[in-house]
Amino acid sequence: MIGIIGAMDIEVESIKALLTDKKEEKISGVNFVSGKIADKDVVVAKCGVGKVFAALCAEAMILKFAPDMIINVGVAGCLDSSLKIGSIVIADSVVQHDMDISALGHPLGLLDGLDIVKIPADKEIYTALEKSVSELGLSYTVGTIASGDQFVADSGKKKFIIDNFDAKSCEMEGGAIGHVCYVNGVPFGILRAMSDGADDGASMDFPTFTRMAAENSTNVIKSFFTKL
Ligand code: ADE
């Protein structure tokens, strides 16, 4: 079973549309749609925006469907000046940029108890995603994705995330999904298409480019299914 999670309908609706033998069930307020894509068992969920919604969705998915892997898909703010709107960032690790117990002498982003800052994504998954992206001819990079409960639309905040975490894009769910997967021993991947530059123009760019970016992310996932 492959689990797919996106925060917004626009990020998962066309993946749901590919499912055959569809079944829907609601758990913890999240609608899970399961079925088959290219002969593979798949479950797709829209989790809602932010880390708490994302974490509860990932945990419920793991407990109910026992997926072999979870992939978080969707759009993100771009932190890498070599990329453009529509380009793809694939995570090799994920960090929570708003996790901060530095006042107690710990590194920024430290996940106390796990004792790590960056959670590694599954190498087989991100290598397969990379293959799909490059076959589609989209520009991309592989690196850290930074998550926090904030839509980043400010050059100062953008610089803070780049300087402290060397992240390539920012969004609001991947870190929570990676955290839940890591604790449960479930391999995960994060695939994001750039909808904006996470800067002073982001509030204008996001509504303009999200549909196009979400389409790029979905096309990569469609190709990824054929490779498994
Ligand atoms: N998702 C898409 N763009 C984003 C941004 N600028 N900040 C956080 N999440 C995002």
Side-chain angles (χ1 to χ4, degrees):
M1 174 75 86
I2 302 160
I4 304 286
I5 300 176
M8 303 180 292
D9 281 326
I10 197 172
E11 295 172 316
V12 290
E13 63 198 1
S14 49
I15 304 173
K16 282 183 185 170
L18 297 174
L19 289 166
T20 57
D21 308 326
K22 233 183 249 187
K23 190 177 157 203
E24 290 200 29
E25 50 208 301
K26 201 170 206 168
I27 305 159
S28 301
V30 180
N31 209 30
F32 290 91
V33 188
S34 56
K36 286 195 180 292
I37 299 177
D39 270 347
K40 277 135 199 135
D41 293 316
V42 178
V43 57
V44 186
K46 179 198 85 168
C47 64
V49 174
K51 292 191 297 160
V52 175
F53 279 130
L56 81 83
C57 175
E59 186 69 31
M61 182 180 272
I62 289 167
L63 293 176
K64 174 71 185 180
F65 297 94
D68 304 299
M69 67 176 81
I70 291 181
I71 304 187
N72 174 218
V73 298
V75 301
C78 188
L79 304 178
D80 180 334
S81 57
S82 72
L83 299 177
K84 51 187 193 313
I85 302 278
S87 297
I88 301 284
V89 176
I90 300 164
D92 61 4
S93 67
V94 71
V95 68
Q96 294 169 45
H97 67 73
D98 57 355
M99 175 58 78
D100 182 2
I101 49 171
S102 61
L104 303 175
H106 297 293
L108 261 183
L110 182 79
L111 300 171
D112 192 31
L114 301 182
D115 281 336
I116 48 173
V117 172
K118 293 187 178 185
I119 300 177
D122 182 80
K123 189 161 188 184
E124 254 179 65
I125 296 175
Y126 72 71
T127 307
L129 287 171
E130 193 178 349
K131 233 179 234 165
S132 299
V133 175
S134 65
E135 277 175 22
L136 288 171
L138 295 166
S139 60
Y140 74 96
T141 194
V142 179
T144 298
I145 292 181
S147 305
D149 283 321
Q150 181 181 16
F151 183 85
V152 180
D154 166 69
S155 306
K157 184 73 191 185
K158 175 175 178 172
K159 184 174 177 337
F160 167 88
I161 299 171
I162 295 169
D163 290 350
N164 285 289
F165 302 109
D166 189 27
K168 305 300 180 196
S169 76
C170 61
E171 37 82 310
M172 302 178 70
E173 297 81 24
I177 292 167
H179 191 155
V180 168
C181 285
Y182 184 80
V183 168
N184 285 282
V186 176
F188 74 95
I190 305 173
L191 168 82
R192 296 281 183 156
M194 303 302 99
S195 58
D196 60 87
D199 52 14
D200 306 322
S203 310
M204 297 283 282
D205 290 342
F206 179 81
T208 310
F209 297 114
T210 286
R211 179 160 293 280
M212 177 273 279
E215 224 167 80
N216 282 355
S217 147
T218 301
N219 286 339
V220 176
I221 281 298
K222 284 182 193 165
S223 152
F224 175 78
F225 280 130
T226 66
K227 297 205 163 13
L228 292 173

